[in-house]
Amino acid sequence: MPATVTGEIYLVSSRKLELRLADGSPALVREQVGSLSEARPGDEVTLTWRFADAVLLPDSPDVEDVTT
């Protein structure tokens, strides 16, 4: 998923990257110390993740439970 890095925040044991997806949606990525990428604000990146790490969120606040 293509994205642009719009900001970065360094934390004690990690770094958060603020991203803007191609459709304009915002995204956040947390990288752990020891596995930080070289991405910096303004860089074009490709956002990927393992299927096992995905979390399904409800489409609206009315949804109380999501099952897979």
Side-chain angles (χ1 to χ4, degrees):
M1 178 174 299
T4 302
V5 180
T6 58
E8 62 184 337
I9 301 168
Y10 284 91
L11 306 167
V12 174
S13 61
S14 62
R15 172 175 80 150
K16 282 186 183 177
L17 291 177
E18 299 169 337
L19 306 175
R20 180 75 46 203
L21 303 179
D23 70 357
S25 300
L28 288 174
V29 171
R30 180 173 288 184
E31 299 179 317
Q32 299 301 315
V33 168
S35 62
L36 298 179
S37 69
E38 296 181 13
R40 298 290 179 260
D43 287 352
E44 298 292 322
V45 297
T46 300
L47 182 61
T48 63
W49 57 91
R50 295 182 313 175
F51 181 77
D53 294 332
V55 176
L56 183 62
L57 300 174
D59 190 29
S60 82
D62 311 272
V63 178
E64 293 181 14
D65 185 28
V66 176
T67 58
T68 57

